[in-house]
Amino acid sequence: GDDVAGLLAGTGHEVARDSQHTHGTAIDFRLPGVATDVLHRWAIGRRLGGVGLYKDSGFIHMDTGPIRTWGGT
């Protein structure tokens, strides 16, 4: 069957078994030419759900779960 968490873990992403990604309600992204900090502030301002800042990896996580923030690597 489809195992999104296993697929993402196989590509180097640490993903919880029941993450928002496995339900199709999350995205990790970056925009060339836009600072990660700027994207992070923008994402938080949307108030649409969870926002993670992965500064070392250079991307933002957004999901449609409860409004919350966190940092990762």
Side-chain angles (χ1 to χ4, degrees), residues 58-70:
F59 70 88
I60 300 297
H61 165 103
M62 289 183 78
D63 65 49
T64 60
I67 294 174
R68 67 213 185 284
T69 62
W70 67 91

Side-chain angles (χ1 to χ4, degrees), residues 6-34:
L7 245 163
L8 291 172
T11 61
H13 298 288
E14 292 183 26
V15 177
R17 278 283 148 200
D18 195 35
S19 86
Q20 296 284 329
H21 289 287
T22 64
H23 300 289
T25 56
I27 185 170
D28 294 338
F29 69 99
R30 65 174 57 98
L31 291 176
V34 180

